[in-house]
Amino acid sequence: MPVRTPVTAYAHSESDTRNRQGGSGILALLHGASSSEVRLLRTTEVDRLAQTIRLGKRPHPVPLDPASWTVLQRCLDHREAWPTENPHVMVTKGTKAGRSPASTAYLSYVLDDCGYPPRMIRSTRLVDLVNTMDPKLVAAAFGMDPQAALIYLADRVDPGRLPPQESR
């Protein structure tokens, strides 16, 4: 185990933040992961062979693209360097001694530098998916109530459903 000096401790904390930002940000943006899904993700829910994760109430494992897998792998590699019995992927200084997940406030803080809260990042992905695919399929894939997916259709009109416009 490397010796920790004030310089390496600072570098370690900078690395901590980058790994958590990347992990929580990419899971929200590309996979529509909510803050609670990221906070509660346990190491046992990561399948390294299949490169999938289990998120929240989703009925199936979520396959990760190469970029997402690389970022998650960095988080896991960094986490394994910490002596902890905490089962969660995201471990903080305050949670490494116990078994509880990182706080909701902490997860929001991690993404402060990007300028967008986790909920907005997730919503961006869901709006895109619901407006380009069947909302019921999106709801099923995300383990959501079908009515909840319809919220993301607000203010969208499918031009194919409008009557043809007559030329004057």
Side-chain angles (χ1 to χ4, degrees):
M1 184 117 189
V3 176
R4 295 210 26 158
T5 66
V7 173
T8 59
Y10 174 76
H12 193 70
S13 68
E14 286 295 303
S15 174
D16 290 351
T17 303
R18 281 193 305 275
N19 285 324
R20 290 188 191 112
Q21 285 171 337
S24 58
I26 204 161
L27 290 176
L29 183 62
L30 296 182
H31 304 284
S34 68
S35 293
S36 65
E37 287 175 328
V38 174
R39 278 180 348 95
L40 299 174
L41 180 62
R42 294 172 175 255
T43 57
T44 56
E45 296 168 328
V46 176
D47 184 335
R48 292 176 188 249
L49 189 59
Q51 295 186 352
T52 61
I53 57 175
R54 284 278 194 190
L55 288 175
K57 297 177 183 176
R58 298 185 190 194
H60 304 287
V62 176
L64 299 180
D65 57 280
S68 299
W69 181 253
T70 299
V71 170
L72 180 63
Q73 190 61 53
R74 277 192 219 136
C75 291
L76 292 169
D77 291 346
H78 177 78
R79 183 196 174 285
E80 288 172 5
W82 280 25
T84 182
E85 294 295 318
N86 191 311
H88 298 91
V89 170
M90 186 173 287
V91 177
T92 68
K93 289 178 187 175
T95 63
K96 76 176 185 174
R99 298 188 62 77
S100 62
S103 70
T104 304
Y106 180 80
L107 202 63
S108 185
Y109 156 77
V110 164
L111 291 173
D112 278 352
D113 288 346
C114 83
Y116 298 99
R119 179 171 284 177
M120 184 179 287
I121 296 171
R122 170 184 160 86
S123 295
T124 299
R125 183 63 177 150
L126 289 174
V127 164
D128 179 53
L129 290 172
V130 167
N131 283 282
T132 57
M133 300 176 68
D134 182 344
K136 288 182 181 181
L137 292 176
V138 174
F142 279 75
M144 299 168 59
D145 180 273
Q147 292 298 318
L150 296 179
I151 293 168
Y152 298 99
L153 282 174
D155 296 334
R156 172 151 186 337
V157 176
D158 183 356
R161 295 180 184 243
L162 295 174
Q165 295 289 325
E166 293 182 25
S167 325
R168 291 184 181 192

